[in-house]
Amino acid sequence: MTDPTSPRNVTADDVAEAAGVSRWTVNRAFKKDASISPKTRSKVMAAAQALGYVPDLHAAALASTRSNLVALLIDDFANPHKLVMLERLTRALRSRGWDTLLVNTLDPDDAAPALLNASQRRVDATILIGLQFDDEVLRAAYKARRVKKLIIFARGSEDPNTTSICVDDEAATREIAQYVLTRGYRRPLFLAGPRTTSAHLLRKETFTRVWQENRGVVPDSATVTAYDPLLSAEVAHDTLAPRSRDALPDIIVCENDALALGAIDTIRHRLGLTVPGDIAVIGFDDVPQAAGPNYRLTTYRQPMTEMANYLVDVLESAETTDLDRRFLGELVVRDSA
Amino acid sequence: MTDPTSPRNVTADDVAEAAGVSRWTVNRAFKKDASISPKTRSKVMAAAQALGYVPDLHAAALASTRSNLVALLIDDFANPHKLVMLERLTRALRSRGWDTLLVNTLDPDDAAPALLNASQRRVDATILIGLQFDDEVLRAAYKARRVKKLIIFARGSEDPNTTSICVDDEAATREIAQYVLTRGYRRPLFLAGPRTTSAHLLRKETFTRVWQENRGVVPDSATVTAYDPLLSAEVAHDTLAPRSRDALPDIIVCENDALALGAIDTIRHRLGLTVPGDIAVIGFDDVPQAAGPNYRLTTYRQPMTEMANYLVDVLESAETTDLDRRFLGELVVRDSA
DNA sequence: GAACTTTTTGCACCCGAGTGCAGAACCTCT
DNA sequence: AGAGGTTCTGCACTCGGGTGCAAAAAGTTC
């Protein structure tokens, strides 16, 4: 692929020579709002174009304190929502000049080396998206040097060293709970995902509280150890199969869609019941298949694009504190509840 | 997050001083099979540990001809199989010291800038995974400088500038076709994905040929313009809904699972028929939900892990030619066909 | 057109490490 | 112990561009 006629890279020096200016002027031409006359800039750009020059980002990162690179840590590959998040995040980042290093921390032992590696690449920020092992990762991050910003995306955190960008779980869950109450469901089961301490979702807590305030009892619940539809199907089965018909919930409120999909599958195919006829199901995230003809899932949609854009705002912000932000989404009512 | 007590980065020089050796010896200590005595190395490592030194990868990339970085170009976020591929690839890459730049080329206009950007980061290779717009991307890649290796993953290509790592589509499809014949299906419909010229799947061609050889007729087919279950559900509906009952296929052979999932959804929920009772469905990829209680999809599994490892072999190989390789997977028979 | 501003441009120095080779240190064998 | 070989270590030079400031050019004002 490499052009054999150009044994050496074309550098700013080459362009400078071609354009009859100094190297620094060439750099300025490539820098947004640098102090350079339009005339010189266009002359430089023409020369650069002709020579096929593009600035080397490694050299730039080395020389400056910024790399325009972020590490995206993900360990939740069974959750279809992650694909949506990746799409939205990479798009928002790229459109504003940021590159994304995708780091797989599925194996918890990889988390620490991953952070270390990110620091070796001088990433300007590390973004955690919906991690199961975030406690550990956070601990590792604190130890790592040069991790400038730590952003927890789509998940809450009170950690002062961290910026958390997520939906307002309390408000969202209150809306969901209200919907469940209004529609007259009486025996909800809350299907929760893995619990972590550093980064959380307040969904189960909020639902429990609201339900208790309104009905005076703590709702039933069950926990799945990963946001995996297949695992969720297992847990749903183990939880519901032993019960007599009238001990079954009339609605399963799920911490997210990954769990909801599995729950629906089990209700239909392993319990032989219908959704929402026998048991209704409500999710969170609005994954693509939630809108498909099979699930028609009632769920809560997070404003992903908006959140992704805000994330880039945070990256570009000079502030280092008080950047947390909670977003409001919307309940998308379909057929499942 | 940055330790305020260390205003400056700790560099190899610092470690060298602390360990009483030269900087170059420090570098050697961090380099696999470098010429250095075990004694010196452990001394250096101890000092490095104490100071919290890690080599700066930007500086390394700048000084050498390798960056240990690859760009992963993806534009197919609706296909759940991509999440599996991302997981396998990032894991294989990381375990052997490679970092992954995730580049979203969903918008075809982003492809060229994405390639450019990758070259600015001096990636050692660009990996294309299942692109819809690969023709365009390839063309852009040829123009870009410094794109050393171009690898097409999970898709075939005859392009000599490219290394293609994928399953043997012909063998796989022949096995599928044989299965379809053996099980006595008589009216298949082949559901194909988008067609590209540079990088291809030979599934439709092969199925058509085998069927024609055996039954003397060209099988029915339809095309979906993206590997998106929702879109596939639409196309399946538009194709099948107008037909009378006995003009319906008895099996839908899908180019991959993304299409198969959508087809099943439509058969069940929009046509009110059963799978496999009325219409059987067969997929390709073995996405996670294929194993779930809802789909129980019969499909062909690609040896992803093996393929990912081979990809890293290619990266590390000094050869630049003749690295294409076809893998064999296995037909996973479940309930859908 | 002199005196003063403001905009442009040039430059010294630095970011942190890889390469290939020459010289030093160590080891083996007789 | 010394020759001959092997393993280590040190160094000059290089990768490509950012920063802050000083000098130069261009623009203003009276």
Side-chain angles (χ1 to χ4, degrees):
Chain A
M1 296 299 310
T2 313
D3 184 349
T5 64
S6 78
R8 208 173 47 80
N9 250 324
V10 16
T11 75
D13 284 300
D14 302 330
V15 179
E17 191 176 356
V21 298
S22 73
R23 174 169 75 70
W24 298 273
T25 302
V26 174
N27 291 166
R28 281 200 193 84
F30 278 87
K31 196 164 154 188
K32 199 66 194 160
D33 46 54
S35 135
I36 186 174
S37 72
K39 212 170 47 187
T40 314
R41 169 171 271 156
S42 62
K43 188 173 57 175
V44 170
M45 291 315 240
Q49 184 87 43
L51 273 60
Y53 168 77
V54 284
D56 184 307
L57 263 24
H58 283 306
L62 180 56
S64 79
T65 53
R66 288 188 37 174
S67 62
N68 273 274
L69 233 198
V70 300
L72 194 56
L73 270 56
I74 171 175
D75 70 356
D76 190 16
F77 290 90
N79 184 348
H81 190 48
K82 286 301 179 292
L83 211 39
V84 177
M85 290 182 44
L86 288 177
E87 199 282 312
R88 295 292 205 292
L89 285 172
T90 51
R91 177 192 294 274
L93 287 163
R94 184 84 283 279
S95 74
R96 287 163 71 181
W98 294 83
D99 285 324
T100 306
L101 219 43
L102 184 64
V103 181
N104 178 348
T105 55
L106 183 53
D107 181 342
D109 295 339
D110 290 346
L115 259 309
L116 179 66
N117 197 70
S119 79
Q120 291 188 260
R121 293 264 179 215
R122 294 195 176 192
V123 297
D124 290 333
T126 296
I127 303 170
L128 274 48
I129 59 176
L131 298 160
Q132 302 171 37
F133 303 104
D134 38 7
D135 293 341
E136 217 160 318
V137 173
L138 281 173
R139 238 179 290 122
Y142 294 150
K143 273 187 260 173
R145 293 289 177 274
R146 299 200 246 174
V147 172
K148 303 179 198 158
K149 292 188 181 182
L150 197 55
I151 301 178
I152 299 196
F153 189 75
R155 188 152 261 239
S157 170
E158 258 71 57
D159 195 308
N161 294 307
T162 273
T163 298
S164 151
I165 299 171
C166 63
V167 87
D168 184 335
D169 276 327
E170 270 196 71
T173 308
R174 215 175 294 118
E175 186 172 346
I176 291 172
Q178 204 51 57
Y179 179 80
V180 173
L181 285 165
T182 306
R183 297 291 288 243
Y185 293 104
R186 325 212 99 248
R187 295 183 312 284
L189 169 75
F190 193 93
L191 193 57
R195 306 279 95 184
T196 56
T197 59
S198 314
H200 52 240
L201 302 175
L202 290 176
R203 297 173 197 166
K204 181 180 173 185
E205 295 75 350
T206 306
F207 185 81
T208 302
R209 181 159 41 70
V210 174
W211 193 263
Q212 195 167 15
E213 283 166 13
N214 282 272
R215 298 293 199 218
V217 295
V218 172
D220 206 359
S221 75
T223 300
V224 186
T225 55
Y227 294 120
D228 178 347
L230 298 183
L231 201 56
S232 170
E234 290 308 314
V235 171
H237 180 257
D238 295 349
T239 307
L240 303 179
R243 303 194 184 186
S244 70
R245 183 66 195 252
D246 53 293
L248 288 176
D250 57 359
I251 185 168
I252 303 184
V253 179
C254 302
E255 196 165 285
N256 68 18
D257 287 355
L259 304 182
L261 302 182
I264 292 180
D265 286 355
T266 280
I267 293 170
R268 285 184 179 152
H269 300 282
R270 300 180 67 180
L271 303 180
L273 302 175
T274 62
V275 176
D278 296 308
I279 303 180
V281 174
I282 194 162
F284 204 110
D285 282 346
D286 197 22
V287 297
Q289 52 265 62
N294 185 54
Y295 294 106
R296 305 284 319 139
L297 185 65
T298 293
T299 186
Y300 191 90
R301 174 156 59 215
Q302 310 186 42
M304 266 299 154
T305 305
E306 211 182 322
M307 288 164 67
N309 282 324
Y310 178 68
L311 184 146
V312 186
D313 291 343
V314 169
L315 292 182
E316 290 171 352
S317 156
E319 304 289 319
T320 60
T321 173
D322 213 28
L323 288 162
D324 284 23
R325 190 155 143 200
R326 305 263 155 303
F327 289 78
L328 283 181
E330 59 179 319
L331 187 65
V332 180
V333 176
R334 298 204 181 87
D335 303 341
S336 75
Chain B
M1 296 295 310
T2 315
D3 183 349
T5 63
S6 79
R8 208 175 46 81
N9 251 323
V10 17
T11 76
D13 285 301
D14 302 330
V15 178
E17 191 177 356
V21 298
S22 72
R23 175 169 75 70
W24 297 273
T25 302
V26 173
N27 290 168
R28 282 199 194 83
F30 277 87
K31 196 165 155 188
K32 199 67 195 159
D33 47 53
S35 138
I36 186 174
S37 72
K39 212 170 49 188
T40 314
R41 169 171 271 153
S42 62
K43 187 172 60 179
V44 170
M45 291 314 242
Q49 184 86 42
L51 272 62
Y53 167 78
V54 284
D56 183 308
L57 263 24
H58 283 306
L62 180 56
S64 77
T65 53
R66 289 186 39 174
S67 62
N68 273 275
L69 234 197
V70 301
L72 195 55
L73 270 56
I74 171 175
D75 70 356
D76 188 17
F77 291 91
N79 183 348
H81 190 49
K82 286 300 179 291
L83 209 41
V84 176
M85 289 180 47
L86 288 177
E87 199 280 313
R88 294 291 206 291
L89 285 172
T90 51
R91 178 193 292 274
L93 287 163
R94 186 83 283 279
S95 73
R96 288 162 69 179
W98 295 82
D99 285 324
T100 307
L101 219 44
L102 185 64
V103 181
N104 179 349
T105 56
L106 183 54
D107 182 343
D109 295 340
D110 290 346
L115 258 311
L116 180 67
N117 196 71
S119 80
Q120 291 188 262
R121 294 262 180 216
R122 295 197 176 189
V123 297
D124 290 333
T126 296
I127 304 170
L128 274 50
I129 60 177
L131 298 162
Q132 302 170 36
F133 303 104
D134 38 6
D135 293 340
E136 218 160 316
V137 173
L138 279 174
R139 238 177 291 122
Y142 295 149
K143 274 187 261 174
R145 294 288 177 274
R146 298 203 245 172
V147 172
K148 302 180 198 157
K149 292 189 180 181
L150 198 55
I151 301 178
I152 299 196
F153 190 75
R155 188 151 262 240
S157 170
E158 259 71 56
D159 195 307
N161 293 306
T162 272
T163 299
S164 151
I165 299 171
C166 65
V167 88
D168 183 336
D169 276 327
E170 269 196 73
T173 309
R174 215 174 294 118
E175 187 172 346
I176 290 172
Q178 204 51 57
Y179 179 82
V180 173
L181 285 164
T182 305
R183 296 291 288 243
Y185 292 104
R186 325 212 97 249
R187 296 183 313 283
L189 168 75
F190 193 92
L191 193 57
R195 306 278 95 185
T196 56
T197 60
S198 314
H200 51 240
L201 301 175
L202 291 175
R203 296 174 198 166
K204 181 180 173 186
E205 295 77 349
T206 305
F207 186 81
T208 301
R209 182 158 42 69
V210 173
W211 193 263
Q212 195 166 16
E213 283 165 12
N214 282 271
R215 298 290 200 221
V217 294
V218 172
D220 205 359
S221 75
T223 300
V224 185
T225 56
Y227 294 120
D228 179 346
L230 298 183
L231 200 55
S232 170
E234 289 309 314
V235 172
H237 180 256
D238 294 349
T239 306
L240 303 179
R243 303 195 183 184
S244 71
R245 182 66 195 253
D246 55 295
L248 287 177
D250 56 359
I251 186 168
I252 303 184
V253 180
C254 302
E255 196 164 284
N256 68 20
D257 287 355
L259 303 182
L261 302 182
I264 291 180
D265 286 354
T266 280
I267 294 170
R268 285 186 180 151
H269 300 283
R270 301 182 64 180
L271 303 180
L273 301 175
T274 62
V275 175
D278 296 309
I279 303 180
V281 174
I282 194 161
F284 204 111
D285 282 348
D286 196 23
V287 298
Q289 52 265 64
N294 186 54
Y295 294 105
R296 304 287 315 142
L297 184 63
T298 293
T299 186
Y300 190 89
R301 173 156 59 218
Q302 309 187 42
M304 268 301 157
T305 305
E306 213 183 320
M307 289 164 68
N309 283 322
Y310 178 68
L311 185 147
V312 186
D313 291 343
V314 170
L315 293 181
E316 291 171 351
S317 156
E319 304 288 321
T320 58
T321 174
D322 211 28
L323 288 162
D324 285 22
R325 191 155 143 199
R326 304 265 156 300
F327 289 77
L328 285 180
E330 59 178 319
L331 186 65
V332 180
V333 177
R334 298 203 180 87
D335 303 340
S336 76

